[in-house]
Amino acid sequence: MASTSVSRIVPASPDKVWNLIGGFDALPDWLPYIPESVAVEGGRVRRLKNPEGDVIIERLVDFNETERQYSYAILQAPFPVNGYVSTIRVHTVPGRDDIAEVQWSGRFNPDNATEQEVTDLFTGIYADGLDALHNTLTA
C-alpha cells in the first residue's frame, strides 16, 4: 500500500478553515478541480465532477468535528488506484490563532500503475488543493 501526505500553513484561524472545508460536500467552495458536488445517501456519499466531466464518487468513513478532521474512501474515480482512503485535518499552530495547518493524506493501492506514479499523482493533487485553499482564504 502506498501513501502520501501534504501539509500547508494557511492564513486563517483553525475554526475559519474548518468552517470552509469541514463540510463533506464543500469541495467546490475551495477546490477549483471540483466545480460540482452532489450529496447523496443523507450526505454520507458525494458525487463529484471535475472540469473534464469525470465522475468521482466518495464515501465519508469518519468525521470528527472536535478534532476538525474527516476521512473518505473513493468508490469510483478515473485514478489508477484501489483501496483509497484519505483524511483532511485542520491543526492549530501553537501560540497562533490567526493561522492553521491543514494536512491532506491518503493511502491507496496502485492499479495498473507503479507505486511512484500514484504517489506522485496524489501528492500533486493534495499540494494543488492546499494551494487553492490558501488562495481562497487570501482572496
Side-chain angles (χ1 to χ4, degrees):
M1 182 165 273
S3 65
T4 188
S5 182
V6 176
S7 293
R8 173 94 191 246
I9 300 294
V10 295
S13 71
D15 284 339
K16 181 176 180 180
V17 176
W18 182 246
N19 286 338
L20 175 61
I21 72 171
F24 187 56
D25 197 35
L27 288 179
D29 296 340
W30 60 275
L31 188 61
Y33 180 70
I34 302 295
E36 181 182 322
S37 178
V38 176
V40 295
E41 293 188 26
R44 292 183 304 274
V45 173
R46 60 187 179 194
R47 186 178 190 278
L48 311 170
K49 280 192 181 175
N50 68 16
E52 291 77 40
D54 294 323
V55 173
I56 303 163
I57 299 175
E58 299 172 337
R59 175 177 295 281
L60 184 65
V61 295
D62 184 51
F63 183 88
N64 188 317
E65 182 81 31
T66 304
E67 298 201 11
R68 297 187 198 98
Q69 70 180 36
Y70 71 80
S71 299
Y72 61 94
I74 288 180
L75 305 179
Q76 174 187 325
F79 306 127
V81 295
N82 62 58
Y84 177 101
V85 176
S86 183
T87 301
I88 293 179
R89 293 181 175 93
V90 179
H91 298 284
T92 59
V93 175
R96 300 286 300 266
D97 59 5
D98 60 330
I99 61 174
E101 179 185 9
V102 181
Q103 179 186 30
W104 197 349
S105 60
R107 61 185 194 279
F108 33 82
N109 296 308
D111 190 357
N112 294 317
T114 68
E115 187 169 304
Q116 189 63 55
E117 288 170 334
V118 294
T119 299
D120 290 349
L121 171 68
F122 287 105
T123 300
I125 288 172
Y126 299 165
D128 291 349
L130 295 181
D131 286 348
L133 173 62
H134 186 275
N135 292 340
T136 298
L137 289 166
T138 58

